[in-house]
Amino acid sequence: MLTTENTLRALQLTIAEQAGKQQPVSIAISDSHGELLAFVRMDGASLHSGVVAQNKAYTAARDRQATADLGAWSRSSGRSMGYWSDTRFTGFGGGLPLRVNGEVVGAVGVSALSEDDDVLVAQALITRLLP
């Protein structure tokens, strides 16, 4: 279960880590429905990365899978992201669902770096969010 205290603590630790690496990012944490619980766009992260991070968390929560996997499916099937009829869905890597005992309890979205690096930051954040 995501609590306010745990969510903010994990967010602060991730911000400190990224600041130390001089790699500013935008980070979004959502509940299991994709509704925003916490968000930050670090100093130096692009404005657009904030929108993308929120959409990554939203997509990962709603679709119950990594956004990169959804993007791969879109490319391999030849179906556009518009197939979902939800303009917020994205297939860029960096959105991951947060599972506890196999159940999606939330999601994270990270944006501003390469997709691979966004995924690494998201994975580290999920580790911090787990009880």
Side-chain angles (χ1 to χ4, degrees):
M1 187 63 124
L2 293 175
T3 65
T4 301
E5 181 180 337
N6 188 41
T7 299
L8 293 177
R9 182 182 54 76
L11 187 60
Q12 289 171 332
L13 290 170
T14 303
I15 291 167
E17 181 177 64
Q18 290 308 115
K21 293 178 181 179
Q22 296 183 346
Q23 293 181 322
V25 294
S26 290
I27 303 167
I29 302 171
S30 75
D31 66 13
S32 63
H33 303 287
E35 298 301 319
L36 197 58
L37 295 174
F39 168 74
V40 67
R41 182 173 49 87
M42 293 176 63
D43 295 339
S46 70
L47 182 61
H48 190 68
S49 71
V51 174
V52 175
Q54 291 177 52
N55 287 344
K56 287 178 180 183
Y58 175 87
T59 302
R62 293 271 174 130
D63 201 47
R64 308 294 200 241
Q65 67 174 315
T67 52
D69 293 345
L70 182 60
W73 173 86
S74 176
R75 289 185 297 279
S76 69
S77 71
R79 292 196 169 129
S80 72
M81 293 306 295
Y83 171 82
W84 297 104
S85 300
D86 190 331
T87 58
R88 291 192 62 191
F89 268 37
T90 183
F92 293 119
L96 298 173
L98 175 59
R99 286 183 168 74
V100 174
N101 298 322
E103 181 181 340
V104 174
V105 298
V108 301
V110 175
S111 186
L113 306 173
S114 70
E115 286 185 63
D116 290 340
D117 287 340
D118 286 350
V119 170
L120 292 175
V121 175
Q123 289 170 332
L125 178 56
I126 284 177
T127 300
R128 292 179 175 118
L129 286 165
L130 292 175

